[in-house]
Amino acid sequence: MDASDPAFALVCVGSGGGPLESNLSGYLLKPYNAEWEAGIVALEAGSGQGTLKRLLEQEPDLFKTQSSATRTYSASEIYTFVRCFLITHAHLDHVATLVLSTGSSGGPRKRVYANKGTLNDLEGIYNWRIWPNLASYDENDEDFKLLYSPLAPNGKYYTVFPEISVQIVPINHGTTDSGPYSSSAFFIRSDSHPLKREFLFFGDVEPDSITSSTPKIINVWRKAAPMIPNTLSTIFIECSWPSGRPDDMLHGHLNPEHLRDELVALATEVYHSRRSTSGGASRPQRKRQKRNPLSSNELRGLLSGVRVYIIHCKDQSSPVHGSSTQELIAGQVRSLVQAAELGAEILSANQGMHISQCLELFLFSDMAHSLSQLFRRKVRASASK
């Protein structure tokens, strides 16, 4: 593999945050140079086989690769290739298809990687009342049962699939009657890539400004900052609500203003990381110490080369000016980030996308506006001349 080669291929089965059950968090991931049938990592499991069946009816070539250009797969075949699930937290819009398909998806036994709290929550679902007990910690249990596999938030990477390892970092996702609720962010690394390329994927997350007594996103940014943009150039992060949503109605999520502020916090960490490695006078920061604000000139361009994919937008009953909620929110975030001159590119992770992570370029195709459709239109136009 060359250093300029993509590290991963990812298909977006669903990227919404509700209320539509047909578009919930669900992504399928593999090493870029491998075939899908060699094994897939499922990142979240809100929408799954039923949704993928519909997507494949509209775009049969969604899983084609250069070496299998004539091969097409059914949705059920694709899910037999899944070897493990990475779950950020156990809310239903992130685990619904995991539960419903347990015991019937076929293929080898599948692991579920998550923090221990999330696995405890899943045990409360697989309890013979909400759903049959089709999961366990027993390595010798039947193949049709899921295998619980806890990830410890200890700063280490864990191999979850050949050539792919993951580091989990706890993040806040609001407060319940019993106290704070924890979600997760994943650093997902290609161990076979010469540059050990990785990307960052957030589960649902509350802004640090609301949970200032126990900020956790800052821990993610401080891990990411030294890698940006050469090793880590891609971030998937939720923005559930459009601009103007008040803090007391965010329910543990981000809106565009808070996401802009979080990206400013990331840029600030990048600034201090670069000063430190270049021999600047920046002193080490204590774990919870807040950075002093940077000027607009100091912030300018610090996130150049970074692409931020907006996910988990909650569909509204009344679209604004004909735009989908996802398009509206991504546009609002884009305007705010451009005004701050951070340099990051803001994109929307739309359902049906096929995304490939590269060193300096992201190649992607939206199901509705795919390159294959453009090619077909050009062929028809040429034929009519």
Side-chain angles (χ1 to χ4, degrees), residues 2 36-37 184 214 227 286 297 315:
D2 188 81
W36 291 102
E37 59 193 43
S184 309
T214 56
M227 297 186 281
R286 292 185 177 92
N297 284 336
D315 287 304

Side-chain angles (χ1 to χ4, degrees), residues 270-328:
V270 170
Y271 173 86
H272 288 288
S273 175
R274 291 177 182 174
R275 284 197 70 197
S276 177
T277 57
S278 64
S282 178
R283 292 185 296 177
Q285 299 285 318
R286 292 185 177 92
K287 185 175 183 180
R288 298 295 184 190
Q289 187 174 339
K290 188 176 180 180
R291 301 285 196 187
N292 292 325
L294 299 180
S295 69
S296 56
N297 284 336
E298 290 172 318
L299 285 169
R300 185 175 294 122
L302 284 173
L303 299 185
S304 294
V306 176
R307 293 193 169 177
V308 179
Y309 278 86
I310 306 301
I311 59 176
H312 202 270
C313 300
K314 292 184 175 291
D315 287 304
Q316 306 298 302
S317 57
S318 301
V320 179
H321 304 304
S323 298
S324 69
T325 302
Q326 189 112 355
E327 292 170 341
L328 171 67

Side-chain angles (χ1 to χ4, degrees), residues 29 41 62 66 76 89 135 142 186 192 201 239 241 286 293 324:
L29 175 73
V41 174
L62 194 56
Q66 289 183 343
S76 59
H89 64 294
E142 295 93 339
F186 292 129
S192 63
F201 185 92
C239 192
W241 305 109
R286 292 185 177 92
S324 69

Side-chain angles (χ1 to χ4, degrees), residues 200-214:
L200 176 56
F201 185 92
F202 279 85
D204 296 356
V205 59
E206 183 173 60
D208 276 356
S209 59
I210 293 180
T211 53
S212 56
S213 61
T214 56

